[in-house]
Amino acid sequence: MYSWILMLVVLAAMAGAYQIGRQRAIASAGGPTRIKQLHSLPTYYGLYAALWAGLPALMLMGLWIGLQDQIVIGLVTSHLPTEMVAGLSEGRLGLLINDIRNLATGNIVSAEVTPEIQAAADQYNRLNLISQWAMWAVVLAAALAGLAYAWMRTQPRLRARNRVESAFTVILIIFSSIAILTTLGIVLSVLFESLLFFQKVSPLEFFFGANWSPQIALRADQVGASGSFGAIPLFTGTLMVSLISMLVAVPIGLLSAIYLSEYAHRKVRAIAKPTLEILAGIPTVVYGFFAALTVAPFIRDLGMSLGLDVASESALAAGLVMGIMIIPFVSSLSDDVINAVPQSLRDGSYALGATQSETIRRVVIPAALPGIVGGILLAVSRAIGETMIVVMAAGLAANLTANPLDSVTTVTVQIVTLLTGDQEFDSAKTLAAFALGLTLFLVTLTLNVIALSIVRKYREQYE
Amino acid sequence: MNTLVETMDKTTGAISSADLAQDRPSAATVGDVTVADPRMTCRNVDVWYGAKQAIKGVSLDIGKNEVLSMIGPSGCGKSTFLRCLNRMNDTIDGCRVTGSIKLDEQDIYDKGLDPVPLRAQVGMVFQKPNPFPKSIYENVAYGPRIHGLTNNKAELDELVETSLQKAGLWNEVKDRLDQPGTGLSGGQQQRLCIARTIAVSPEVILMDEPCSALDPIATAIIEELIDELRANYSIAIVTHSMQQAARVSQRTAYFHLGDLIEVGETNQIFTNPQHRLTEDYITGRFG
Amino acid sequence: MNNPADTTPPRRAIDIVNASLKRRYARERRFRWLGATAVTLGMVFVVLLFADIILKGYTAFQQTYIQLPIELAAATIDPDGARDPATLARADYMKLIREALREQFPEVKDRRDRRLLNSMISVGAPDLLRERVMADPALIGTTQELWILADDDIDMLVKGYIDRNAPASDRRVGDQMIAWVDRLEAEGRVAKRFNTIFFTHGTSREPELAGIAGALMGSFYTLVLTFLLSFPIGVGAALYLEEFAPKNRWTDLIEVNVNNLAAVPSIVFGLLGLAVFIGFFGVPRSTPLVAALVMTLMTLPTIIIASRVALKSVPPSIREAALGVGASPLQTQFHHVLPLALPGILTGSIIGMARALGETAPLLMIGMIAFIVDIPKGFNDAATVLPVQIFLWADSPERGFVERTSAAILVLLAFLFVMNLAAVLLRRRFERRW
């Protein structure tokens, strides 16, 4: 809470610094009539001062907030009685720290509160308070120091505009690097936890094992729960749901794109195209609800009336609804590539006496094929990574089956299941989620890179 | 448009701007529009794009085994008129054609007439070579395949070969029939498109500035080819090059702002034009 | 004339063509029909989806109340007569309601039956009554005909979701209860009124007390913060990449990265948020703050790509004109190019925000699925968001939650509709062709 106020204070300081810098520049030039003496417009001197007052202070503040918790926890842990900490695994220590933190913030604590823990919690609160005040002092000092520096530097010869502009350019570069940092963050975080996982479970078992039951005993003396992490059933389950969704989305999406761009009357197109695109704007959780409460029971009842044994959470229901979700994705990508096929090719075909469908099937589609394939690959990558529909409509049981009426589970379902329970952060269960996440990330990344390069090459061909 | 009018006022002095206004009544064509042995006969053809009239009351015949060239400044409607002859204008929204265009006594704008077999009879070669992104063989085989012109692979092979030979491309591509047609040079691509058109055995071939995207050597080859094709087909060619019209055609039609101004023997048009507009165009006063 | 089609004089090519036409047109019609079927199917899916959710959800906007003459006895509410709010708040309002109910059904004497009778009233009804009394203490001592919130089972029965013909053991509401409800209905004491609770309360285990206000506020805080973070960063990044960046490996890498990030499964961003923001930086779980950080990273690619397209559509002549009068590159961008590109950028950003509003999966990873009754009051309060609330309710077994889930979906879709409409209007209003 206090950080927000401090943030506002710094912003206010920046506004003040802007005014001060401006006035200072005008004064240094010898009054408002002589601002021609200045290298830049007074505004830039104001911005110069504001940047000096604000940027170092804000950076300091960000750093402080980011590291405060780690340092405080480190201090608290180092002050815990050694007999409490000694012999604790990293996971148990994490639990203990969680308890201290919960106690300090007034939440429910899992273990009983010993005086040591109470003391640690008090210390935690005390340190946090000190840290808060120290942050205020340091940040405000930085702001003042920056302002003072700008004040001293402000004189007519200062190339304020150039300074301000290069500062802005640096900020823009930092902004654009966030994309890289995000990817790096994903790779590092997922990779790091996955490596920890693969120290506990061999990659061979993970990638080729056919048995998935991640129940691990919380205590060593519990029975019958060693946990096994063979991810093959998850992979096959993911593939089956994705395949079903593609069987729905590709024909419908592609054919409707063809119909709307080649056959449909302009009025039909004006209505049908946005209507189909509505499907793309519907949140996935809505599809999940539709799949779980409407489609799955419908398929089960239909199967029962036909004498088939359908699981209440069948792969078919999840795949069908996922396919509906992906229809607009396929159709708008296909629409793009079909429209990119030059009219001259169509004319060439018509001039030979081809009918419209012959032109489409034998000239337009083959010409657009690379683009369509790229689009389908992107759609597959989406199907594989789609989470909510399968979480809500596919099952949890890791069945190794080829029957679409059976219940299967997918990679994304397991990631959610493994991470939404109350687990220690580094139990094999949570780490397994990151290993699955790594697999998912790599597979979708590969698909995306291939698809995007195919689509780009295709575009260049007709540009 | 205005600049054109102004220039003409300055250069000729004789043409009033009212003469060139968009909605004036169509001028009578100078010269004989008919031929003794016509394949296609057009009478009083009007073409509108929406509210804009692109062709005004044009009447013209295309004779058997002749090359008819259509010339005129850009925007004069010559390409539009050509595209009417096999109903390629159908693909353009808002395009309306009235009057009569007959192929061997059959009105091609008759309500019941199907453009698909019409286009098999009246082929077209476009301004920019547009080979399909398929192999050379498949490009030529496409037409015969969709129309079912051959009964087996051997016949198809033979038809592809003869078509490529007629288009003068066989010797250059016979060893690489399975390579993509888009990989050929511009002139070769255009001859491939001609071969593709010939393969469906049309009776009339329309060519819309077939050499405008080609270099002079490729142009010369195509022109020679057009002259050879005359033996079997009627050819109507739109060109922006008067020299080309003079070289390849027997008859020439001069279009101006949607009007057919003058038709006649090519020799006569280029040596002794009757209408002042034709003369101005041919002598290079505008164009 | 060695063309096989020409060598046989009676059979011209055109005859072969004409002969094949019938078959070819049949194929043409089939293909066309296939396309039309695909479009129709797509549209049918849209209609089905909406019809299903609307039909399931519209009843949730009304809630069943039972009208009872409640004697607001001073002895129970305020024995010492001081009207002290603390006393008023502590009073046993459930007792008042139960007494009123007993008076309606004097014949019910059995303890078990009485308990059954009491279960017709929502457990939240006393709280509502308390609020009413505390807002107007003058009511104490009078007898008022008040509309009392009914239990969700009664609500479902009145709305017709419970099959009265099913065997009693399969029903959540027994024959006796049905008889009571019928009697109340005959007396005009049962009514469906607009469900304000749904819009003013946080979530609850009881369907009749569950509302979306908490989730809405959570979504609001998350979205505001996401926009504040992602808009400047996204536009800045686009500006740099499109206008300033030299074409080198680094910018190529950024470009490939942005395009790929746009297609990374959203759940992976959840893993990132869990490991980096919560695990490493210690950002508190379940808060709009951490949700906004994750959402920012997710929406950035969308905003960057849309902004670059918008910047690209500003013709170079504008830049040349500005540079020509001596503006610095940055001035050119901020004074001329950005204002012209702004409608396109805003359109892209709104669409990005709409996607963030509907996103669920990554938020499950960062603790937004905690059961939080209170309505959050800031970026650092534990909160949930609307789509996650929908997910949680969809998992609840009570029939009453099905309609509330659907209604929450309708509210979510309404917000998305408004946002997309705004984007479309913005694009129409400012679309410029150069």
Side-chain angles (χ1 to χ4, degrees):
Chain A
M1 196 57 219
Y2 287 112
S3 321
W4 293 106
I5 298 175
L6 183 56
M7 183 96 150
L8 289 180
V9 170
V10 173
L11 289 179
M14 285 176 79
Y18 173 80
Q19 284 302 332
I20 293 172
R22 236 180 80 101
Q23 297 306 329
R24 161 84 171 163
I26 294 172
S28 75
T33 49
R34 289 165 55 85
I35 49 172
K36 284 250 163 66
Q37 300 286 316
L38 294 171
H39 168 270
S40 318
L41 290 172
T43 311
Y44 284 101
Y45 292 91
L47 284 174
Y48 178 75
L51 286 177
W52 265 111
L55 281 189
L58 286 178
M59 277 195 274
L60 211 59
M61 190 175 147
L63 214 63
W64 198 291
I65 292 176
L67 296 178
Q68 168 177 329
D69 197 58
Q70 299 232 317
I71 293 170
V72 169
I73 287 291
L75 282 175
V76 170
T77 330
S78 67
H79 279 87
L80 283 174
T82 35
E83 66 272 16
M84 258 182 85
V85 189
L88 280 185
S89 74
E90 231 175 283
R92 313 248 75 191
L93 190 63
L95 273 185
L96 184 65
I97 290 168
N98 253 342
D99 271 350
I100 294 173
R101 201 179 283 166
N102 282 337
L103 187 63
T105 47
N107 286 336
I108 302 149
V109 184
S110 66
E112 62 188 296
V113 181
T114 61
E116 287 85 5
I117 292 185
Q118 185 63 52
D122 291 344
Q123 194 197 11
Y124 177 85
N125 274 339
R126 206 166 49 244
L127 284 175
N128 259 340
L129 197 68
I130 295 173
S131 165
Q132 284 281 355
W133 284 114
M135 180 170 78
W136 271 75
V138 170
V139 167
L140 289 182
L144 282 178
L147 177 59
Y149 179 77
W151 170 272
M152 289 196 311
R153 289 291 307 274
T154 301
Q155 42 165 307
R157 269 181 307 158
L158 176 73
R159 293 153 62 110
R161 182 175 59 73
N162 305 40
R163 294 300 173 90
V164 169
E165 292 195 341
S166 41
F168 267 109
T169 313
V170 170
I171 293 174
L172 292 187
I173 292 175
I174 292 171
F175 281 177
S176 61
S177 308
I178 285 182
I180 299 270
L181 287 180
T182 309
T183 310
L184 209 66
I186 291 175
V187 171
L188 286 185
S189 60
V190 179
L191 197 66
F192 182 68
E193 312 287 343
S194 302
L195 287 179
L196 287 181
F197 174 75
F198 287 130
Q199 282 170 6
K200 300 186 181 196
V201 178
S202 90
L204 219 61
E205 186 202 333
F206 180 70
F207 287 111
F208 300 105
N211 186 14
W212 177 269
S213 59
Q215 304 316 321
I216 286 218
L218 272 180
R219 290 181 305 279
D221 53 337
Q222 258 180 338
V223 265
S226 59
S228 62
F229 292 92
I232 288 287
L234 311 192
F235 298 150
T236 54
T238 307
L239 281 183
M240 190 200 292
V241 175
S242 305
L243 184 73
I244 295 171
S245 73
M246 286 299 121
L247 288 179
V248 174
V250 170
I252 296 184
L254 190 57
L255 281 171
S256 52
I258 289 170
Y259 185 81
L260 289 179
S261 63
E262 305 278 335
Y263 283 109
H265 191 268
R266 210 177 313 145
K267 279 181 192 158
V268 176
R269 187 181 156 89
I271 294 171
K273 219 178 155 204
T275 311
L276 281 185
E277 270 162 20
I278 288 178
L279 286 174
I282 293 177
T284 51
V285 68
V286 178
Y287 284 108
F289 178 75
F290 183 62
L293 272 89
T294 306
V295 178
F298 174 75
I299 290 181
R300 195 191 50 217
D301 295 346
L302 192 75
M304 259 162 45
S305 68
L306 294 174
L308 289 170
D309 186 24
V310 184
S312 59
E313 294 178 317
S314 60
L316 185 60
L320 261 177
V321 174
M322 196 188 281
I324 296 177
M325 181 192 84
I326 293 177
I327 288 173
F329 195 71
V330 174
S331 81
S332 72
L333 281 171
S334 315
D335 194 54
D336 282 355
V337 293
I338 287 172
N339 283 332
V341 173
Q343 181 65 29
S344 68
L345 287 185
R346 294 184 177 83
D347 282 353
S349 175
Y350 290 137
L352 291 171
T355 63
Q356 205 165 355
S357 69
E358 283 160 354
T359 304
I360 293 165
R361 276 182 296 142
R362 290 169 175 243
V363 176
V364 177
I365 299 287
L369 200 61
I372 293 174
V373 169
I376 291 176
L377 282 184
L378 279 179
V380 170
S381 140
R382 269 199 74 170
I384 291 177
E386 170 49 41
T387 309
M388 291 320 293
I389 295 177
V390 280
V391 165
M392 294 169 82
L396 288 175
N399 293 329
L400 191 56
T401 173
N403 179 3
L405 302 178
D406 244 352
S407 158
V408 297
T409 191
T410 73
V411 172
T412 48
V413 171
Q414 288 303 318
I415 294 178
V416 170
T417 320
L418 292 176
L419 284 180
T420 49
D422 280 328
Q423 253 87 44
E424 314 166 38
F425 197 68
D426 55 355
S427 76
K429 261 176 98 169
T430 46
L431 293 180
F434 282 93
L436 289 174
L438 179 68
T439 319
L440 179 68
F441 179 70
L442 290 181
V443 169
T444 51
L445 185 74
T446 314
L447 280 173
N448 294 340
V449 170
I450 295 173
L452 288 174
S453 72
I454 291 178
V455 171
R456 191 182 317 143
K457 273 210 191 100
Y458 169 78
R459 290 257 156 83
E460 280 162 5
Q461 184 192 333
Y462 288 120
E463 252 164 24
Chain B
M1 196 56 70
N2 275 335
T3 44
L4 175 67
V5 172
E6 278 162 27
T7 341
M8 289 186 18
D9 276 345
K10 267 179 224 147
T11 47
T12 65
I15 305 160
S16 74
S17 48
D19 238 13
L20 295 161
Q22 282 294 313
D23 297 318
R24 79 209 144 93
S26 55
T29 305
V30 178
D32 189 5
V33 298
T34 59
V35 293
D37 188 10
R39 284 313 300 265
M40 298 192 81
T41 51
C42 313
R43 292 295 175 267
N44 299 319
V45 176
D46 291 323
V47 180
W48 276 274
Y49 290 124
K52 186 178 173 290
Q53 188 169 11
I55 295 287
K56 296 158 191 161
V58 169
S59 301
L60 187 61
D61 283 0
I62 301 171
K64 216 166 213 166
N65 299 346
E66 77 161 351
V67 177
L68 168 72
S69 64
M70 305 179 191
I71 59 172
S74 18
C76 68
K78 53 193 193 295
S79 285
T80 302
F81 182 70
L82 191 77
R83 289 173 69 95
C84 290
L85 299 178
N86 70 343
R87 292 188 53 175
M88 280 307 285
N89 279 339
D90 287 13
T91 58
I92 297 168
D93 276 347
C95 178
R96 217 148 39 81
V97 180
T98 60
S100 89
I101 302 178
K102 286 182 178 164
L103 173 68
D104 298 338
E105 300 306 311
Q106 167 69 51
D107 189 341
I108 67 169
Y109 277 92
D110 191 73
K111 254 205 151 86
L113 188 114
D114 184 355
V116 167
L118 168 73
R119 289 177 191 145
Q121 284 170 284
V122 184
M124 187 161 195
V125 177
F126 296 85
Q127 184 170 1
K128 240 183 99 198
N130 56 351
F132 302 131
K134 300 166 180 271
S135 69
I136 294 169
Y137 181 92
E138 284 301 325
N139 259 286
V140 182
Y142 176 74
R145 271 193 215 273
I146 57 171
H147 293 302
L149 294 183
T150 53
N151 297 318
N152 52 45
K153 180 86 168 83
E155 273 184 41
L156 187 63
D157 287 349
E158 196 191 334
L159 179 53
V160 168
E161 184 180 337
T162 50
S163 303
L164 282 168
Q165 270 168 352
K166 282 193 203 167
L169 196 60
W170 175 249
N171 288 331
E172 291 160 62
V173 300
K174 64 182 174 205
D175 300 326
R176 46 178 177 142
L177 289 175
D178 55 343
Q179 282 175 25
T182 43
L184 296 172
S185 74
Q188 288 172 323
Q189 285 189 13
Q190 196 62 298
R191 277 181 282 151
L192 178 62
C193 292
I194 293 174
R196 189 174 72 184
T197 308
I198 296 170
V200 290
S201 317
E203 284 145 38
V204 180
I205 299 177
L206 309 173
M207 297 187 174
D208 188 359
E209 303 194 21
C211 301
S212 67
L214 304 183
D215 61 75
I217 295 168
T219 303
I221 297 172
I222 302 257
E223 284 178 6
E224 221 169 281
L225 175 60
I226 292 171
D227 203 46
E228 285 166 21
L229 291 174
R230 184 162 68 91
N232 296 322
Y233 309 95
S234 301
I235 295 172
I237 175 170
V238 161
T239 173
H240 61 272
S241 152
M242 284 178 278
Q243 290 82 354
Q244 184 171 61
R247 283 192 298 263
V248 300
S249 68
Q250 286 72 55
R251 283 201 314 143
T252 297
Y254 172 67
F255 284 76
H256 189 97
L257 294 176
D259 281 316
L260 177 55
I261 301 294
E262 186 168 353
V263 186
E265 295 288 319
T266 299
N267 273 339
Q268 174 254 316
I269 293 275
F270 282 98
T271 53
N272 185 20
Q274 302 297 306
H275 197 284
R276 182 161 43 238
L277 279 170
T278 320
E279 187 181 347
D280 286 347
Y281 181 71
I282 285 171
T283 50
R285 295 243 177 106
F286 60 86
Chain C
M1 291 277 267
N2 46 1
N3 188 329
D6 286 346
T7 41
T8 45
R11 199 152 162 74
R12 288 199 309 161
I14 186 61
D15 299 327
I16 303 176
V17 172
N18 283 329
S20 70
L21 275 181
K22 206 176 153 198
R23 185 173 40 84
R24 287 167 66 195
Y25 276 121
R27 217 180 288 157
E28 169 82 26
R29 272 194 303 278
R30 269 204 303 280
F31 188 71
R32 217 185 145 118
W33 178 85
L34 230 91
T37 312
V39 175
T40 318
L41 261 178
M43 311 261 282
V44 164
F45 287 144
V46 178
V47 173
L48 266 184
L49 190 65
F50 276 87
D52 181 54
I53 287 165
I54 291 173
L55 284 179
K56 277 200 178 109
Y58 79 99
T59 48
F61 294 111
Q62 291 198 313
Q63 166 66 38
T64 306
Y65 286 79
I66 299 173
Q67 194 188 35
L68 293 173
I70 295 194
E71 190 196 347
L72 298 164
T76 314
I77 301 175
D78 194 17
D80 50 6
R83 298 288 187 265
D84 177 18
T87 322
L88 297 189
R90 266 203 312 273
D92 187 357
Y93 292 92
M94 191 51 128
K95 195 176 143 205
L96 298 177
I97 298 171
R98 285 182 179 163
E99 277 165 5
L101 200 58
R102 209 171 303 165
E103 251 159 63
Q104 284 298 312
F105 296 96
E107 77 280 8
V108 180
K109 295 266 196 279
D110 184 53
R111 261 179 83 88
R112 246 198 23 235
D113 289 351
R114 284 239 173 109
R115 201 174 303 145
L116 195 63
L117 190 62
N118 291 339
S119 75
M120 288 170 67
I121 299 297
S122 162
V123 294
D127 294 333
L128 296 171
L129 185 59
R130 179 197 302 131
E131 280 168 29
R132 181 82 179 260
V133 170
M134 289 180 71
D136 186 10
L139 293 175
I140 298 172
T142 62
T143 299
Q144 299 282 332
E145 287 282 346
L146 292 177
W147 288 99
I148 301 297
L149 185 64
D151 187 63
D152 60 312
D153 286 337
I154 304 301
D155 188 38
M156 289 300 103
L157 179 69
V158 171
K159 284 172 180 167
Y161 286 123
I162 292 177
D163 183 9
R164 288 165 185 249
N165 299 323
S169 55
D170 289 359
R171 274 189 257 126
R172 279 190 56 90
V173 183
D175 291 333
Q176 198 175 11
M177 191 105 98
I178 290 180
W180 291 335
V181 171
D182 286 347
R183 197 167 113 201
L184 285 172
E185 262 187 309
E187 291 170 21
R189 291 195 171 275
V190 175
K192 286 184 282 182
R193 318 175 82 203
F194 182 70
N195 190 354
T196 35
I197 292 172
F198 184 69
F199 293 98
T200 53
H201 279 216
T203 185
S204 167
R205 304 254 185 243
E206 305 296 326
E208 74 274 13
L209 290 172
I212 54 170
L216 268 184
M217 285 317 286
S219 277
F220 172 76
Y221 286 123
T222 306
L223 222 54
V224 166
L225 200 54
T226 305
F227 183 77
L228 287 180
L229 289 172
S230 62
F231 185 74
I233 296 179
V235 175
L239 202 57
Y240 179 73
L241 291 175
E242 193 59 38
E243 305 284 344
F244 295 108
K247 287 276 162 273
N248 58 25
R249 283 227 185 113
W250 177 247
T251 47
D252 275 355
L253 187 70
I254 294 181
E255 182 150 5
V256 171
N257 236 298
V258 169
N259 287 336
N260 279 319
L261 277 182
V264 165
S266 59
I267 192 172
V268 173
F269 285 94
L271 291 176
L272 168 78
L274 180 61
V276 174
F277 293 135
I278 294 179
F280 186 75
F281 286 114
V283 181
R285 271 169 178 270
S286 310
T287 55
L289 176 63
V290 69
L293 288 173
V294 171
M295 287 298 177
T296 299
L297 296 187
M298 271 189 61
T299 43
L300 264 183
T302 316
I303 297 185
I304 292 177
I305 291 170
S307 303
R308 289 190 67 174
V309 171
L311 287 171
K312 224 177 247 165
S313 72
V314 176
S317 60
I318 302 276
R319 294 176 184 84
E320 282 157 12
L323 291 173
V325 296
S328 71
L330 213 65
Q331 286 171 325
T332 305
Q333 294 302 328
F334 279 97
H335 297 169
H336 300 283
V337 180
L338 261 188
L340 289 172
L342 203 60
I345 294 175
L346 277 178
T347 308
S349 306
I350 294 175
I351 289 169
M353 288 298 117
R355 273 187 51 188
L357 176 60
E359 194 54 69
T360 322
L363 301 182
L364 301 182
M365 311 279 90
I366 52 174
M368 302 299 276
I369 50 167
F371 180 80
I372 293 148
V373 179
D374 295 330
I375 295 171
K377 292 186 189 64
F379 298 112
N380 254 335
D381 283 358
T384 189
V385 293
L386 200 46
V388 177
Q389 189 69 73
I390 290 168
F391 168 66
L392 290 172
W393 282 356
D395 241 12
S396 305
E398 288 93 344
R399 182 64 185 77
F401 272 121
V402 172
E403 61 164 25
R404 272 164 180 78
T405 312
S406 307
I409 288 175
L410 289 177
V411 173
L412 177 62
L413 290 179
F415 275 107
L416 291 177
F417 177 76
V418 169
M419 288 172 88
N420 281 298
L421 191 71
V424 170
L425 290 182
L426 200 67
R427 185 158 41 202
R428 287 242 179 98
R429 172 84 179 71
F430 291 102
E431 193 169 53
R432 215 188 277 247
R433 298 231 173 251
W434 300 96

